[in-house]
Structure formats: structure tokens, C-alpha cells
């Protein structure tokens, strides 16, 4: 067996990159609902940080809930 070529190394990374891209498309509507931009969802394109960024996005409070809370606080004061 010879040494693996660069082409073989890049081909072996295809499943990781495809999975990262799928998670990115999954993160776009979540980031919009949470009040973050698409740029924040673009952090999911960093392959090994994707699960952590996605977990952080999911754990954030929705923007609509934050707006309603701000309206309630403004009404009571």
C-alpha cells in the first residue's frame, strides 16, 4: 500500500462536510426564531463546533417570549 493521496483525504471528509451542511440548514430557522441572524447559524459550518453551536442555539429563549416579557415589564412599571 502506498501513501494516501490528498484526493483520498478530501473524499473521506465528504460525509462530515455534508452532515455539517445539513445541520447548518437546520440551524437557520432556529437562529431566526431565537432572534439571532443567519451569521450566527453560519458558525455551524465549523465542523467540530457544530454540535455545540446548535445546542447553544436550541437552548436560547425565543425572541417572541423575550418581547412579550419586555412588554409585561414595561406595562407594570
Amino acid at each position: 500500500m502506498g501513501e494516501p493521496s490528498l484526493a483520498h483525504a478530501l473524499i473521506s471528509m465528504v460525509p462530515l462536510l455534508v452532515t455539517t451542511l445539513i445541520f447548518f440548514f437546520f440551524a437557520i430557522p432556529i437562529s431566526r426564531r431565537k432572534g439571532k441572524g443567519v451569521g450566527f447559524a453560519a458558525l455551524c459550518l465549523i465542523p467540530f463546533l457544530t454540535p455545540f453551536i446548535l445546542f447553544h442555539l436550541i437552548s436560547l429563549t425565543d425572541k417572541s417570549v423575550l418581547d412579550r416579557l419586555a412588554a409585561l415589564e414595561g406595562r407594570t412599571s
Side-chain angles (χ1 to χ4, degrees):
M1 285 195 72
E3 286 190 30
S5 66
L6 180 61
H8 287 110
L10 292 176
I11 289 173
S12 68
M13 290 181 59
V14 167
L16 177 68
L17 296 176
V18 168
T19 305
T20 302
L21 193 63
I22 289 170
F23 280 136
F24 168 66
F25 289 127
F26 180 69
I28 289 173
I30 294 173
S31 67
R32 287 183 179 156
R33 190 177 69 222
K34 303 295 181 167
K36 303 289 184 186
V38 178
F40 195 82
L43 291 174
C44 286
L45 291 174
I46 302 171
F48 295 105
L49 293 180
T50 300
F52 301 110
I53 299 295
L54 200 55
F55 180 74
H56 177 71
L57 264 176
I58 291 171
S59 67
L60 290 174
T61 307
D62 284 2
K63 178 73 170 142
S64 62
V65 172
L66 293 175
D67 291 341
R68 288 174 46 202
L69 181 62
L72 284 173
E73 287 176 347
R75 197 178 317 159
T76 59
S77 55

